[in-house]
Amino acid sequence: MEISNRSTVTEFVLLGLSAQPKLEKTFFVLILLMYLVVLLGNGVLILVTVSDSRLHTPMYFFLGNLSFLDICYTTSSVPLVLDGFLTPKKTIPFSACAVQMFLSFAMGATECVLLGMMAFDRYVAICNPLRYPVVMSKAAYVPMAVSSWVAGGANSLVQISLAIQLPFCGDNVINHFTCEILAVLKLACADISINVISMAVANVVFLGVPVLSIFVSYIFILTTILRIPSAEGRRKAFSTCSAHLTVVVIFYGTILFMYAKPKSKDPLGADKQDVSDKLISLFYGVLTPMLNPIIYSLRNKDVKVAVKNLVSQKRFTQ
């Protein structure tokens, strides 16, 4: 009976902002502009880290991976969101929903691991500069980046495989802009305790462990920086990790804000909060990838010089 019920659910309806149609056109323009900035900014960062030989270091290799990841992350959901703003019938096939969940979940988990590895890179560079070429050799940092992608993909495969095996009976309306996994799990007509436990374990591994490693790394980094006698030396040392630290604060700070804020008990307030939660989640998925290249361009001298050289070369060739 459960298999029969599930077989009838061939597509999901994405609720989005259906209850506020006047806002859809405004948000379409806003999200489209932000998405274009994501593609342009991260595309330029990838280009300069590949083309400029001075940026062929572990830190910028990780940065190139982060930029490519941000492009993949936004592309896995933003086109679907934009289409939903313009299409009266906001539906998505079951299989396409599963693929979208897999890509979004994989990119999110990969970014958590990658940020942790970037913190370790800064720790070695500042706390053990003489050993840096040995510890962070190409034979080390390339497998580190590859393992972050493999780990994120494997985790997503497990979570999505468990989700799509659930029976979905009747209600197929997802109260979200995309196939967000928690919103999808709410529609299952079976016990989802295994899914909840699995996601809790994944959160500890892919959120807790990277946060702990970043925290410990920066304790040692700050301790080392404070021991530098000259103010100029401290400034230069901190400038090499300030961009990464800013990205980490924005990334994890937004996650904490989304999931730690209290829920409204008033029905009317709950409806308003429901809309705000969806909008916060939407902007989180676009704003952070948009800010990353801006932060690294503004707070990193090497990237600024590389971008200027790239622009000047383009002008010269024209």
Side-chain angles (χ1 to χ4, degrees):
M1 183 65 182
E2 288 184 353
I3 296 176
S4 175
N5 282 338
R6 185 196 163 194
S7 65
T8 61
V9 179
T10 58
E11 63 181 18
F12 289 106
V13 177
L14 300 171
L15 197 58
L17 286 176
S18 299
Q20 293 86 19
K22 293 182 179 179
L23 295 177
E24 290 187 322
K25 300 297 186 293
T26 302
F27 281 108
F28 173 84
V29 175
L30 184 59
I31 297 300
L32 176 60
L33 291 176
M34 294 175 70
Y35 180 53
L36 293 176
V37 173
V38 169
L39 297 179
L40 178 62
N42 286 287
V44 169
L45 266 185
I46 293 172
L47 187 59
V48 297
T49 55
V50 172
S51 62
D52 195 319
S53 59
R54 291 169 298 183
L55 301 184
H56 292 174
T57 63
M59 181 175 74
Y60 296 111
F61 179 76
F62 287 130
L63 178 57
N65 274 263
L66 182 65
S67 295
F68 180 68
L69 187 150
D70 283 340
I71 290 175
C72 294
Y73 181 73
T74 52
T75 303
S76 70
S77 58
V78 171
L80 177 64
V81 173
L82 294 175
D83 180 68
F85 284 145
L86 299 179
T87 307
K89 188 179 181 183
K90 302 171 177 58
T91 58
I92 181 172
F94 188 93
S95 57
C97 185
V99 171
Q100 195 263 313
M101 282 194 298
F102 170 79
L103 292 175
S104 296
F105 211 88
M107 296 304 107
T110 301
E111 182 159 0
C112 290
V113 178
L114 198 58
L115 288 174
M117 291 183 175
M118 292 174 76
F120 176 75
D121 170 74
R122 293 298 82 208
Y123 158 74
V124 179
I126 294 175
C127 299
N128 297 282
L130 297 179
R131 297 192 61 202
Y132 184 75
V134 177
V135 176
M136 295 304 295
S137 64
K138 190 173 184 178
Y141 69 76
V142 171
M144 286 171 66
V146 171
S147 66
S148 67
W149 286 90
V150 172
N155 173 59
S156 181
L157 185 62
V158 171
Q159 305 303 330
I160 305 310
S161 297
L162 290 173
I164 63 176
Q165 292 179 33
L166 294 169
F168 294 91
C169 320
D171 189 6
N172 66 336
V173 179
I174 299 175
N175 189 18
H176 214 279
F177 294 102
T178 61
C179 289
E180 202 271 335
I181 189 167
L182 294 177
V184 173
L185 289 178
K186 290 179 181 179
L187 303 180
C189 55
D191 183 18
I192 61 170
S193 57
I194 294 179
N195 302 76
V196 173
I197 293 172
S198 177
M199 290 185 68
V201 172
N203 286 339
V204 171
V205 174
F206 288 92
L207 281 174
V209 173
V211 167
L212 181 62
S213 67
I214 291 169
F215 180 72
V216 172
S217 295
Y218 272 101
I219 286 179
F220 284 107
I221 288 171
L222 291 174
T223 302
T224 302
I225 290 176
L226 292 175
R227 286 204 300 260
I228 298 175
S230 67
E232 180 65 18
R234 291 193 295 270
R235 188 192 64 80
K236 287 183 178 179
F238 184 75
S239 67
T240 63
C241 58
S242 60
H244 173 260
L245 185 59
T246 304
V247 168
V248 166
V249 170
I250 292 174
F251 181 78
Y252 287 106
T254 311
I255 292 177
L256 183 64
F257 174 76
M258 282 196 303
Y259 293 105
K261 61 190 181 72
K263 301 295 182 182
S264 174
K265 296 181 179 181
D266 177 62
L268 183 59
D271 290 339
K272 291 180 179 179
Q273 187 179 57
D274 190 46
V275 174
S276 68
D277 287 347
K278 289 191 291 184
L279 290 175
I280 290 171
S281 176
L282 173 61
F283 278 99
Y284 164 74
V286 185
L287 186 63
T288 305
M290 185 186 76
L291 290 177
N292 286 352
I294 297 174
I295 291 169
Y296 273 98
S297 297
L298 292 176
R299 302 187 67 88
N300 190 290
K301 182 179 177 181
D302 294 334
V303 173
K304 283 193 285 188
V305 171
V307 171
K308 288 179 180 178
N309 291 339
L310 180 66
V311 173
S312 62
Q313 288 175 7
K314 292 294 182 181
R315 288 178 179 174
F316 181 76
T317 55
Q318 290 175 354

